[in-house]
Amino acid sequence: EVAEALAEAPAEAPAEAKGRGGAVAASAPAAAPEAAGPLVLARPKAAVAEPLLIREYCLQAVDEELNAAVSALLARLMTFQDKVYAHDPAKAHAKRRLVVGLREAGRSLRTSRAKMVIVAHNVEQVGAPGALDDMVEDVLKLSKVKYNPMVEKHPDIELEEREEAVPIVFAHTRRSLSKALRRQLRSSVAAILNYDGANAEFKHVASLAAERREQWRAWAARAEQQQAARDHEVHLRATLGDAAVDKRVHAHRTYLGTGAMHPPRYLTLEPKRAKPPKNERNARGAENSGAAYVRRHVDPVQLDLGLIDSGTPRET
């Protein structure tokens, strides 16, 4: 629709237009008004979801064990939901086990139906008003406070805190989360509405996520990480301005439980263990034939805390 509107714009309109997330779109100058074609909207580079990026909103360590537990929970819930849908689609829609997407997750939190929210750690960074960054912030906020419809007309209303916060689990990339949900389109968020029949998997995911949050807190409390957070805030103020940064800092302190604006981090490669000589591998016997000497992507949080043993071969 935006492209059609730009195409119908008069010829004297500027050659650059704002696209999604504040991206600048430009078209080649036309020789004559009647020869001018539609403007091409360019996707902002900052909106690319990098698979190794862990955004600043992810206040938790991320690892393969947690990802596997989340996949098992989602697979079980999807199996239950598919069985109901095969018998009665209308009933399956009315009694959904989970919903996917930022809007659906926000709606389930407003109605207090969400029991857990799973957020990918590399959601696209789009800072325009009402865009992805604001939607992620709303999801994180509504997990700790109750929604009040009057806040739309009176933004100064103080929202009431929930008796028990809805657990937020940061796991998977957008691509791997969509695979766990059996979806072709990439997904950023999934909200679990009903986990009956998967209680063990649900509790296991909640326990693992709680442990990873404690790991992140221990890592963020280090002096070098506190200094990195202060430097990051200075950089943001120089680039975004004080008003935008003050809003982010307020959200972090009020809803995320930390006063520091930690910069995003990247998953790193675990060092590869050297293979032993061939005759030594043959002497070990068949019990160790499944050991794989491969590299894995690991969270710097666990790497800096010494929780990753890079010299141990991983079982396939």
Side-chain angles (χ1 to χ4, degrees):
E1 295 176 355
V2 176
E4 293 175 357
L6 292 175
E8 297 173 358
E12 61 270 16
E16 295 184 353
K18 289 286 183 178
R20 178 185 175 189
V24 176
S27 64
E34 58 274 12
L39 296 177
V40 179
L41 297 180
R43 186 177 183 82
K45 294 181 179 180
V48 177
E50 303 179 43
L52 302 182
L53 177 65
I54 301 182
R55 291 282 307 278
E56 67 280 353
Y57 61 76
C58 184
L59 310 184
Q60 170 205 296
V62 179
D63 62 2
E64 293 179 350
E65 184 181 3
L66 178 60
N67 289 344
V70 169
S71 296
L73 172 61
L74 294 177
R76 192 164 182 82
L77 294 177
M78 290 293 293
T79 301
F80 292 153
Q81 187 161 291
D82 291 343
K83 287 182 178 179
V84 177
Y85 184 84
H87 289 83
D88 190 347
K91 181 179 179 181
H93 182 77
K95 297 184 177 181
R96 288 177 292 179
R97 292 300 191 103
L98 53 88
V99 292
V100 181
L102 283 164
R103 289 186 178 87
E104 290 290 342
R107 187 177 295 112
S108 65
L109 287 168
R110 291 184 181 92
T111 56
S112 298
R113 296 181 61 199
K115 303 299 187 296
M116 175 184 287
V117 179
I118 299 169
V119 183
H121 61 70
N122 67 332
V123 177
E124 293 179 336
Q125 184 175 1
V126 183
L132 292 180
D133 286 358
D134 286 348
M135 296 176 72
V136 172
E137 181 181 324
D138 288 342
V139 168
L140 300 179
K141 175 179 69 175
L142 291 173
S143 68
K144 293 193 174 183
V145 298
K146 295 181 179 179
Y147 176 71
N148 187 345
M150 295 299 296
V151 76
E152 303 294 339
K153 296 183 178 180
H154 305 282
D156 297 334
I157 294 180
E158 185 175 353
L159 298 178
E160 180 184 357
E161 291 189 6
R162 296 180 183 271
E163 297 179 359
E164 184 176 355
V166 178
I168 301 290
V169 179
F170 301 100
H172 285 293
T173 62
R174 295 178 64 237
R175 182 176 182 180
S176 60
L177 181 59
S178 64
K179 288 184 178 180
L181 293 167
R182 307 172 189 172
R183 292 168 58 91
Q184 293 182 350
L185 298 178
R186 297 187 180 183
S187 306
S188 300
V189 177
I192 297 175
L193 309 182
N194 181 5
Y195 58 89
D196 290 344
N199 301 67
E201 291 84 351
F202 183 89
K203 292 180 180 179
H204 183 51
V205 169
S207 175
L208 291 178
E211 293 177 2
R212 272 66 181 167
R213 283 193 294 270
E214 292 301 325
Q215 292 175 4
W216 185 89
R217 291 191 182 99
W219 177 80
R222 293 186 168 190
E224 59 270 23
Q225 300 304 328
Q226 290 291 323
Q227 183 61 43
R230 289 190 289 269
D231 295 341
H232 182 60
E233 183 174 340
V234 171
H235 170 72
L236 289 179
R237 291 188 180 279
T239 55
L240 302 179
D242 291 338
V245 176
D246 288 341
K247 179 183 177 182
R248 290 192 179 187
V249 171
H250 173 74
H252 271 67
R253 291 176 179 173
T254 306
Y255 308 118
L256 304 184
T258 174
M261 286 284 296
H262 289 271
R265 59 190 188 274
Y266 284 85
L267 294 172
T268 60
L269 276 176
E270 181 183 31
K272 187 175 181 180
R273 177 187 171 102
K275 290 186 178 180
K278 185 175 181 179
N279 56 353
E280 182 180 344
R281 295 202 304 269
N282 294 337
R284 291 181 178 179
E287 65 275 4
N288 292 331
S289 60
Y293 296 83
V294 297
R295 294 185 177 183
R296 297 190 312 163
H297 289 114
V298 299
D299 195 330
V301 171
Q302 297 181 334
L303 200 61
D304 293 346
L305 293 177
L307 301 175
I308 298 296
D309 183 11
S310 58
T312 303
R314 304 298 171 185
E315 297 296 329
T316 56

